[in-house]
Amino acid sequence: MANEDRLFNPHGRRHFRRTYRVGEVWVGLAIVAGLAAIAAWVAYKGAHPDPELFGRDPRLIPKGSPAVGVLEDRTGPSLGSGPGGQASAPDLGRFADVGGAQLAPKRFRVASTSRFGPENLFEKINGREGFYKSRGFRALHFASMRSLEGEAIIDIEWFDLGTAAQALGAFSAERADGATVESVSGGSHYLYRNMAAVVRGPNYIRLVGIDETPVTQTALRALTATFEAELAGTELPWSYAFFGQLDIPSAEVSIEPSEAFSFSFARNVHLGINADDVELFITPRPDGDASTHAERYLEGFATLGKKTGSWVKDRYLDTFSTAAARGDQFVIGVRGAPNVKTGASLLEALGAGLDALPEAARAQALAGEAADPPPDDGEGEYSDESAPAEEETY
């Protein structure tokens, strides 16, 4: 019966040819060799990308387009309009303020520049547009440096984020894991592998090289030094000195302008992470509703854990978080403490530090928040009906 089955071959992998032609063998070998050659070519091209892929041909951009203003292409003299067929120098735009063509490190040249505004940022930073706009984005000035020898390329992304606090927030949020931040007068920077980042006043600058060669790293150091020398720095926000008194280095301090901890109401939150990876935070409330706002944080934490008194235990991480009003105009809190005793000690240290905060720094904190008050439309509030919190005693 099995031999009459028309759906399955009863003979399995058996075949009935006793011999094969030599030509068939050679054709098979040729096919295998061809596939191996294609795989080798793909691997080689992947390791040696064509520099032209990083450029943009201005002939492809419609005239009058408000999008990218590419001012020079990397394809060489053939597209240039200068004498003798030489490529014309790019309009350096904002980069003229930091040395212009002299900005390019030794053995590099400025290959192209462009500018992006809020209306077309997505064309350059696809997928990260919201991140920068939530941090006060105003403009992105882009330049590409190309080595005069070899294929080294360094791209510069210069973000104008409006204020020093916004720039520091982006700098901290995008800091590469393992990077060591160095603070200098008026700003900070780091160099890590094939990239560097600089923050000076409202300017946040990312420098990304195509490789990690000594040539690229030397150029990154030179560019970092140029930006720090040419751009005016500014005094660090009050929270950097505040957390410094709690033995939290500036590299572990950040400012979340909006949606801190993924809470829509949590705005202008100053964060410091201590040596045990516990987050300490403080947020000014010049409108005097610190108690109400602290309760919103507790309700937010409770959506991911069990509430006991003024503390919430995270059901996934087994850590403890809380928030409390300190006076009428500040909310302080701890997130991710290993236990309530440790968390309470850190919360008390936060409160004591706030009480000892110089009046000038306190006024700076409240004035900074009052200058750009957060919208309060009720979104982000958590109720017992929408997110029940379980009471538990520890």
Side-chain angles (χ1 to χ4, degrees):
M1 177 67 67
N3 292 337
E4 297 178 1
D5 192 336
R6 296 184 179 217
L7 295 178
F8 300 98
N9 180 6
H11 302 296
R13 296 182 179 274
R14 293 176 57 190
H15 60 87
F16 300 97
R17 293 182 62 180
R18 297 179 181 276
T19 61
Y20 293 89
R21 294 180 180 178
V22 175
E24 290 179 302
V25 176
W26 283 111
V27 169
L29 291 175
I31 292 174
V32 172
L35 292 174
I38 292 174
W41 177 80
V42 171
Y44 176 81
K45 296 300 288 185
H48 302 80
D50 185 352
E52 306 302 336
L53 296 176
F54 293 85
R56 293 175 66 96
D57 191 337
R59 296 174 299 180
L60 302 178
I61 302 176
K63 291 183 178 180
S65 171
V68 187
V70 176
L71 303 166
E72 184 194 0
D73 188 76
R74 293 195 181 107
T75 53
S78 61
L79 291 179
S81 57
Q86 295 299 316
S88 58
D91 180 349
L92 296 169
R94 182 72 185 278
F95 292 95
D97 299 338
V98 287
Q102 302 305 314
L103 171 67
K106 185 178 180 181
R107 295 190 294 178
F108 278 78
R109 68 180 178 88
V110 180
S112 63
T113 62
S114 52
R115 182 188 181 280
F116 301 82
E119 73 285 352
N120 65 330
L121 178 62
F122 69 94
E123 297 181 10
K124 183 62 179 175
I125 310 294
N126 191 19
R128 295 289 281 169
E129 178 187 15
F131 171 83
Y132 294 110
K133 286 187 174 180
S134 70
R135 285 161 172 78
F137 174 82
R138 294 186 178 181
L140 165 60
H141 306 277
F142 176 82
S144 187
M145 305 286 175
R146 183 172 181 179
S147 173
L148 298 176
E149 308 164 1
E151 299 179 349
I153 295 175
I154 297 176
D155 285 342
I156 303 175
E157 297 173 352
W158 178 356
F159 293 91
D160 179 354
L161 299 180
T163 66
Q166 302 278 28
L168 283 163
F171 174 84
S172 300
E174 292 194 320
R175 176 165 59 94
D177 293 338
T180 301
V181 176
E182 297 182 27
S183 296
V184 294
S185 177
S188 300
H189 73 265
Y190 67 79
L191 174 65
Y192 182 70
R193 301 185 66 174
N194 68 319
M195 73 164 295
V198 182
V199 61
R200 302 284 294 176
N203 304 291
Y204 168 47
I205 302 148
R206 285 168 38 92
L207 312 164
V208 183
I210 196 175
D211 54 36
E212 299 179 36
T213 62
V215 171
T216 295
Q217 292 183 335
T218 298
L220 289 173
R221 281 190 286 270
L223 286 167
T224 297
T226 298
F227 277 111
E228 289 187 330
E230 297 294 332
L231 293 179
T234 187
E235 181 182 356
L236 291 175
W238 62 273
S239 53
Y240 281 73
F242 173 81
F243 284 115
Q245 295 175 352
L246 302 178
D247 295 325
I248 296 177
S250 61
E252 300 299 334
V253 177
S254 61
I255 303 170
E256 290 294 331
S258 62
E259 297 188 0
F261 315 129
S262 298
F263 299 158
S264 62
F265 61 84
R267 188 176 182 280
N268 193 25
V269 177
H270 298 250
L271 290 165
I273 303 177
N274 70 8
D276 298 319
D277 289 331
V278 180
E279 294 180 333
L280 285 67
F281 65 91
I282 181 170
T283 179
R285 300 295 303 176
D287 50 8
D289 66 343
S291 297
T292 300
H293 212 62
E295 188 61 32
R296 296 177 76 182
Y297 278 95
L298 281 174
E299 293 173 357
F301 291 140
T303 61
L304 295 176
K306 299 177 181 179
K307 189 175 181 182
T308 173
S310 60
W311 289 86
V312 175
K313 181 180 181 180
D314 191 293
R315 67 169 59 96
Y316 303 108
L317 303 178
D318 202 29
T319 57
F320 295 82
S321 304
T322 192
R326 195 76 174 188
D328 295 330
Q329 296 183 311
F330 287 91
V331 176
I332 59 175
V334 174
R335 181 171 180 257
N339 52 64
V340 171
K341 182 178 180 180
T342 299
S345 176
L346 292 172
L347 188 68
E348 183 57 33
L350 266 176
L354 180 59
D355 293 342
L357 192 67
E359 194 59 37
R362 182 183 294 266
Q364 180 191 11
L366 295 172
E369 175 67 4
D372 188 15
D376 193 0
D377 54 7
E379 291 186 8
E381 288 197 46
Y382 297 90
S383 65
D384 291 337
E385 292 77 19
S386 61
E390 301 178 38
E391 293 284 347
E392 187 169 311
T393 303
Y394 302 99

